[in-house]
Amino acid sequence: MSAANRISGKGRLTPAKTARFTFDGRVLNALEGDSVASALLANGIHLAGRSFKYHRARGILTAGPEEPNALFDISRDAGRATPNVRGTMQEVYDGLTVKSQNRWPSLAFDVSGFNNLLSPFFAAGFYYKTFMWPKAAWKAIYEPFIRNAAGLGVAPKEADPDHYSNRFAHCDVLVAGGGAAGIAAALAAAETGASVIIADERAAFGGSLHFDTGVTIDGQEGFAWAQAMTAKLAAMPNVTVLTRTTVFGYYAQNFIGLVERVSEHLASPDRSLPRERMWQVRAKRVILATGAIERHMVFDGNDRPGVMLASAARTYLNHFGVAVGAKVGVYTSHDSAYEAAFDLKSAGVQIPVIVDIRDKPGEAVLAKARELGINVQAGSSVLKTGGKLRVSSMTVARCGMRSGEKINVDALLVSSGWTPSVHLFSQSRGKVAFDAELQRFVPGTYAQDCLSVGACNGTNSLEASIEEALGAGQLMAQATGASGSSSLSINATQAFDWTGGMTGAADGAGPENSSAKAFVDFQHDVCAKDIRLAVREGMHSIEHIKRYTTNGMATDQGKTSNIHGLAIAAEALGKPIPEVGLTTFRAPYTPVTFGAIVNHARGPLFDPARKTPMHKWEEDHGAVFEDVGIWKRAWFYPKAGESMHQAVDRECKTVRTVAGVFDASTLGKIEVVGPDAAKFMNIMYTNSWDTLKPGRCRYGIMLREDGFVYDDGVVGRLAEDRFHVTTTTGGAPRVMQHMEDYLQTEFPDLKVFLTSTTEQWAVIAVQGPKAREIIEPLLEGIDMSNEAFPHMSVVEGKIAGVPTRLFRMTFAGELGFEVNVPADYGHAVWEAIWARAEPLGACAYGTEAMHILRAEKGYIIVGQDTDGTVTPDDAGLGWAVGKKKADFVGIRGLKRPDLVAEGRKQLVGLRTKDPKEVLEEGAQVVADPNQPVPMKMLGHVTSSYWSENCGHSIAMALVAGGRSKMGQTLYVPMADRVIPVEVCDAVFYDKEGGRINV
């Protein structure tokens, strides 16, 4: 370990407790408690990564969660890799593997660094201009290149072996932030007896007390006081203390999302521990004590490794005992940066100069600088830095000058003041206010039951922050009904009062320089000139500027860049900052892993699976299943040596020549019962139901208010006051909700009861010429003759000794029956039917054959042959709309001019010129394949199959004016060829329908 970087006697880590980790294959030493960033700096490593666009060398900028540069791939073994982890927040442990990202072949020599030379071509908005021409190159060149280049880290491919936890909690007061203000607020609230949760993202509470050693609180050094108070809070039964826990989201009604890193800091975690724990907390009151974020200075070369926030350098020195350099310069517009220079100087580090853009820095810090012999150049600026993989020099000049003195440094500390962290306040839908004096946004109008305290509230001094927090803690606790009171008094002093002294939010941006790389957003390589260019090109809204330049859109969400970008845009627009506005802060505050949100992998239980009563039989007979929603449905039943296509062809042929048995249990089923049942059905469906006799069925179409098809299905009337309604498999929940919505809100006077019976009934469809022969011997009390039981009838009786609702209906266009039996008897009845069917040469068939059989007959599937913009007439189902009905849901929508205009897309059949050519579903249909791109599309293919029964391919399509184009040749352009098709009737098999009525 380099003694030159680890300063003896500095920091709070114990030298005897060491850890070893690897960085890009190199074994390094660290101390227990180090972050990856502090450990790298202790080993003299500043180069941490490469930028997203230019692949410029980037170093460690911060010491906290706002870090934009030092993002690493962190792992301990296979499957436990996480990309884009902030090195400033990841703790080192024995065996940790750290890899840099976004570089090849190495971090020091990155081939893509050539992009930096091409930066004039990568100005703001270049992607909007560059990738427009030639149009044909998008798929072939641009898209593959962009996809390969995009991203920073690489998502792990191995399954995550860890587990995650989720916890719901309630509390009276939740305190977000464990700095001095947060601790004080939690203490005051807890003393009243209120239940309190306090959370902070760091391993130890303390906030700025990690670096600010010039603070004394109640006679103790500030950080020591914070640890003592943390222990006091943890010992209180009404307080939950959460370290390593990020409050990432503030939602409606004081619902707060937190993620706790439970074992990410442990070398060999107990396998019973979760990797992370998601907390979902409902708090009566919330106190935000989230502090402030230091801003960098904007100047040419401000991104070189070794350029760092002043507070970060203080953290690495005073908490971790690491000096960020041996010869450190300082560039600032704020008094707080001076303290970093003072601390480093006192530790033996050379400080050649403090460059202050202000003409008059604070008298107290100037006096201290003189005492320590530090040169201060006021009214000056850093024009640029030098160096390749680490800063080696800075050029200093009087403000306004174009040339200056070159000063050698190996690190440069920067600070242009502090931005209150209003992210959670903004997420709560609070409205920020602008502090014109100090050029910053602070909490303004509150939308929820919360208060901001301390630096995030714009409160500058430590004493004032603690006093404010104590009052807020007691106030918010008592507002929840806590009966106690707090008499806490906390006395705090700090070495310097650096509460003001900032001249502007964009300090250091300097005059416009087209060649300067003065970075605003480090991760996305956004420069000051990019912001100005966006304004020149017409982007006058800050939201447009943000998207045009991508400023603030990286993983750090602009924590260090947003205010700079805003100030530069305001300057370019000639407007005050408040008039330009502030971009929206959204959850999460910092990135949250999918593991924490989704929880641990559950294998087959990850997605709940619904299985029909016949599932075991289908499994035993070799069915291949497909997921339909969350249902497992038999897709096809291959015999030995059969491919899928061969199996499906056989099944389709067998159904037409003998019979097939199909599991239709997944169909949605709703019981509509009551004296007004028929009246309600008339309202919900397009056709009439009061004329339907008990024992008969009718095909029904349900519309939305706008007149478009919502669902369809066969409805059987069992009695004057009872209907058995079927829906599509995927449509059952929404149809039930649709009906309930109208019944409860629009027609509450109707005496109707709705019951979902999807799981109550197992449904066995028997289709084909021998369907009657298969089931008739199993029936009791049911006359199966064509006269007594015609097509579209329903009757109740028994089958195989089990009560049944037997429907004569078909979705295959054959003689067909659907046997509904109580679900518990589904398997037994299926076995009984199969015992009759198999000797006759029938087959079990799956959903793929079902789709083909229905398409041969031109029967639609809602959601496949409709797309939410299809009316009954478009689908060729105008006959199902009652012409004499005065009202039904969607009737006014159907009368809109656009829905009756000529040229609407209509469902038709397509026959390929080559009978063996099967079209791709979703393929576009055009009239002229030679027209220039973009072509005018007439429609698209909705269903397409090979039909063994027809001996050729079949397809259905929605085509503009389709029915007027019968017999015409249209074209389906594909990537490698154009397929000519003839528009035809959508019914390809048994157009007369004779096979249904045998």
Side-chain angles (χ1 to χ4, degrees), residues 95-111:
L96 175 69
T97 300
V98 182
K99 294 180 182 177
S100 57
Q101 302 179 151
N102 200 40
R103 83 294 187 276
W104 185 85
S106 70
L107 184 57
F109 177 69
D110 179 15
V111 170

Side-chain angles (χ1 to χ4, degrees), residues 735-789:
V735 170
M736 183 71 180
Q737 187 274 335
H738 189 64
M739 286 182 162
E740 282 283 11
D741 186 30
Y742 277 94
L743 184 59
Q744 294 183 31
T745 63
E746 302 297 329
F747 307 103
D749 55 311
L750 295 183
K751 295 182 175 66
V752 178
F753 301 93
L754 306 177
T755 305
S756 174
T757 58
T758 299
E759 290 83 3
Q760 178 178 336
W761 297 102
V763 182
I764 305 162
V766 185
Q767 312 279 321
K770 295 189 177 182
R772 184 184 285 112
E773 186 177 347
I774 291 171
I775 68 169
E776 190 168 28
L778 301 173
L779 297 173
E780 301 174 33
I782 299 176
D783 185 348
M784 288 284 286
S785 67
N786 204 44
E787 296 74 25
F789 196 48

